[in-house]
Amino acid sequence: GIYEKSVYPLSQSGSIGMAFMAGATGQNLTESQFGIASVKFRWNLSGSFQQAIPRYISTDNQGKDEREFLNDFFPDLKTLTKAIFLKGYQWPFDPRKIDFYGSSLIDLLVHREINDKGRSVFIDFTRNPSWLNGESFDPGDLDPEVENFLKKSDALRSTPLERLYSINSPAIALYKEHGIDLGKELLEVAVCAQHNNGGLKANIWWESDLKHLFPVGEVNGSHGVYRPGGAALNSGQTGSLRAAQYISKRYNNLPMEDREFLSEIKNVTENKLILAARWMESGNSAGNKKYLSEIRKRMTESGGIIRDKTKVEDATAEAADLLSWLPEKIGADSVTELADTFLLMDHCIAHYIYLSAIKAYIEKGGRSRGSYIIADYGKHGEAITAESVKKPELCKWDRDVEHKILEVGLKAGTVIISLTVVRVVPEQDLWFEKVWKEYIEDNWFDC
């Protein structure tokens, strides 16, 4: 919910700000994953969508001045079509895949067209990529890796749509179900947020440092800098099982009586009710969408694939300022708007914490890795050039911040940053009888 350009379904906005306000610690919040996705219907354009080798174009705000902008940066059509094809295997943006006309150069150029030039970018499945000198797409003149794949997939066809249909016809049907006919219209795209590899700190039972809170799934900050897709799903399933096992064994007392519970939560609940009443009485919801748009734009510009030190510093200060006065400026005139108002506050808190983490990482010497570039070249606001995108300073894993866990917390309204040593995998002297004995004696939860 905190990114302007995102591949998440609109319903999946997140609520991690609530956990920060409650006192839970975040970790690895700098590590998000980005890639090219459609924006009208939010969907990753990985796999067969790129292996079909569609045409990339950009237009001005009126849909005119159509240009195949990738041609300005690639040496020939064969190199370009290979890079497009490889986006299927290498969907996430990765600084290591920029040089030598790698697939992630495409992400940077798409980002440049949209963010630096203010143009719109589209993928076209109705026509093949073409070249500046009039060279036309020839299925027989593809890179051997590309040609071999298409042959084996019975997809060495004359147009991207035909190739996509041969490789993965349900992909075409999916877009039709959402009112988009890939055989007739251009597909608008952007470099979008797809996954946060960071999240809330937790132990091996998926319990956070805020007792009784178990962040399971993507909200757990344990996915690593280079998270393979399936690993997040496996982590969510494993975490759910382990959390349930621990809760059933260690938190299995009867819940407190209603009166005791109400007494325990009285102050927090009353403060929230007072806030809600004030917002409803004001009925001033006119600026809510504007503030949300501001949050999302700030995160996409400063917390996306290009992270400029000065911009991040400015963005973090702006986020802190917004958080300081936002509760006084927003309101609601319905219960639905009231829920959206609380969500707006949650996003404001979250984006402030995330930007604070990114700022700390850069200030402590962190460099490009994962799915972003630390832009230490050029001056503040300088546009990306052909040379500056090709050889970013990639991390050598020799700086303190790069091999420690960056933890972020919110204490009494102040952001607390710390670096924690990565836990080593313990060496254990295990054998079946010992493990089985611990299991049947029910003492394995103490580890």
Side-chain angles (χ1 to χ4, degrees):
I2 61 176
Y3 279 95
E4 179 183 42
K5 296 178 175 65
S6 169
V7 78
Y8 291 87
L10 290 170
S11 61
Q12 297 180 27
S13 56
S15 56
I16 197 170
M18 189 188 307
F20 293 137
M21 286 295 289
T25 301
Q27 66 179 23
N28 302 324
L29 299 182
T30 54
E31 308 309 315
S32 288
Q33 182 173 280
F34 304 89
I36 294 170
S38 55
V39 295
K40 185 177 176 182
F41 164 55
R42 295 181 169 195
W43 198 258
N44 289 352
L45 291 171
S46 58
S48 55
F49 291 106
Q50 304 293 340
Q51 290 159 344
I53 317 177
R55 188 173 72 114
Y56 277 77
I57 67 165
S58 72
T59 69
D60 61 22
N61 289 333
Q62 284 73 46
K64 299 177 181 178
D65 187 31
E66 180 181 303
R67 295 188 65 253
E68 292 188 61
F69 61 96
L70 298 181
N71 291 4
D72 297 340
F73 288 82
F74 284 84
D76 52 59
L77 191 56
K78 181 181 287 189
T79 306
L80 170 61
T81 54
K82 181 180 181 181
I84 296 172
F85 172 83
L86 288 176
K87 285 302 301 173
Y89 295 126
Q90 303 168 354
W91 180 80
F93 172 71
D94 184 346
R96 301 171 302 178
K97 297 182 177 70
I98 295 171
D99 210 359
F100 305 109
Y101 306 104
S103 61
S104 285
L105 179 57
I106 294 175
D107 301 76
L108 276 179
L109 299 178
V110 169
H111 180 275
R112 175 178 181 263
E113 287 292 298
I114 297 170
N115 292 72
D116 294 342
K117 295 187 174 183
R119 293 171 65 83
S120 298
V121 175
F122 301 86
I123 284 180
D124 181 7
F125 287 94
T126 67
R127 294 168 58 188
N128 289 311
S130 60
W131 198 246
L132 299 171
N133 61 6
E135 179 186 355
S136 59
F137 182 91
D138 181 0
D141 191 34
L142 295 169
D143 182 88
E145 180 181 354
V146 181
E147 183 179 8
N148 186 47
F149 173 89
L150 293 176
K151 275 184 178 179
K152 288 183 175 180
S153 303
D154 190 27
L156 206 56
R157 306 302 175 94
S158 59
T159 69
L161 188 70
E162 292 171 343
R163 293 191 287 271
L164 180 59
Y165 187 85
S166 296
I167 302 169
N168 183 12
S169 60
I172 300 171
L174 174 68
Y175 273 92
K176 270 196 174 175
E177 290 172 7
H178 291 85
I180 300 171
D181 188 342
L182 297 182
K184 295 181 179 178
E185 59 187 288
L186 301 175
L187 187 63
E188 187 171 5
V189 304
V191 180
C192 299
Q194 191 266 346
H195 195 282
N196 184 215
N197 296 357
L200 297 178
K201 174 183 177 180
N203 62 21
I204 63 171
W205 297 104
W206 269 254
E207 184 175 23
S208 76
D209 55 346
L210 184 63
K211 285 297 182 184
H212 300 173
L213 174 64
F214 290 79
V216 172
E218 184 173 347
V219 75
N220 188 286
S222 62
H223 294 99
V225 175
Y226 297 102
R227 168 202 72 85
L233 300 175
N234 294 338
S235 177
Q237 293 164 342
T238 303
S240 300
L241 176 60
R242 289 179 66 84
Q245 289 172 329
Y246 190 85
I247 291 167
S248 68
K249 295 294 184 181
R250 289 294 178 265
Y251 294 140
N252 54 6
N253 295 330
L254 291 174
M256 62 179 69
E257 296 292 330
D258 289 353
R259 181 173 297 181
E260 183 185 359
F261 176 71
L262 290 172
S263 174
E264 188 77 19
I265 66 169
K266 184 172 186 257
N267 290 338
V268 173
T269 306
E270 284 184 348
N271 289 338
K272 295 299 181 186
L273 289 172
I274 290 170
L275 191 60
R278 192 172 78 216
W279 285 340
M280 288 291 284
E281 286 168 7
S282 77
N284 181 25
S285 62
N288 291 13
K289 288 185 178 179
K290 181 188 78 169
Y291 298 132
L292 181 59
S293 176
E294 178 185 324
I295 288 168
R296 289 171 170 168
K297 190 172 188 293
R298 183 177 294 122
M299 277 302 299
T300 290
E301 288 182 350
S302 300
I305 64 171
I306 302 292
R307 301 179 179 184
D308 176 86
K309 183 177 185 291
T310 305
K311 282 185 178 180
V312 169
E313 288 173 348
D314 292 345
T316 307
E318 291 165 1
D321 180 60
L322 179 64
L323 184 58
S324 70
W325 53 257
L326 186 62
E328 306 301 322
K329 296 290 186 180
I330 56 180
D333 58 14
S334 69
V335 173
T336 300
E337 283 193 354
L338 182 61
D340 290 340
T341 305
F342 274 104
L343 190 60
L344 172 58
M345 284 302 305
D346 190 273
H347 287 350
C348 187
I349 294 162
H351 100 298
Y352 173 47
I353 300 294
Y354 273 77
L355 285 169
S356 297
I358 294 170
K359 175 174 173 283
Y361 177 81
I362 297 174
E363 288 178 344
K364 293 177 184 297
R367 290 164 289 183
S368 307
R369 70 178 185 185
S371 200
Y372 56 84
I373 287 176
I374 303 300
D376 53 3
Y377 50 81
K379 296 180 180 179
H380 176 53
E382 181 179 341
I384 304 168
T385 66
E387 293 308 312
S388 68
V389 299
K390 285 182 184 176
K391 294 186 179 180
E393 182 189 13
L394 301 182
C395 55
K396 300 174 184 175
W397 307 100
D398 60 358
R399 297 191 182 185
D400 201 41
V401 71
E402 292 173 350
H403 59 255
K404 288 188 177 178
I405 299 172
L406 182 67
E407 296 186 350
V408 189
L410 192 62
K411 308 297 180 187
T414 302
V415 173
I416 307 298
I417 305 282
S418 61
L419 291 178
T420 303
V421 177
V422 176
R423 294 190 296 270
V424 298
V425 177
E427 293 184 7
Q428 302 182 78
D429 187 17
L430 300 176
W431 60 93
F432 174 78
E433 289 78 9
K434 180 177 184 291
V435 174
W436 180 248
K437 184 174 184 291
E438 288 181 348
Y439 178 76
I440 61 176
E441 290 179 355
D442 202 23
N443 61 9
W444 55 296
F445 291 95
D446 295 326
C447 60

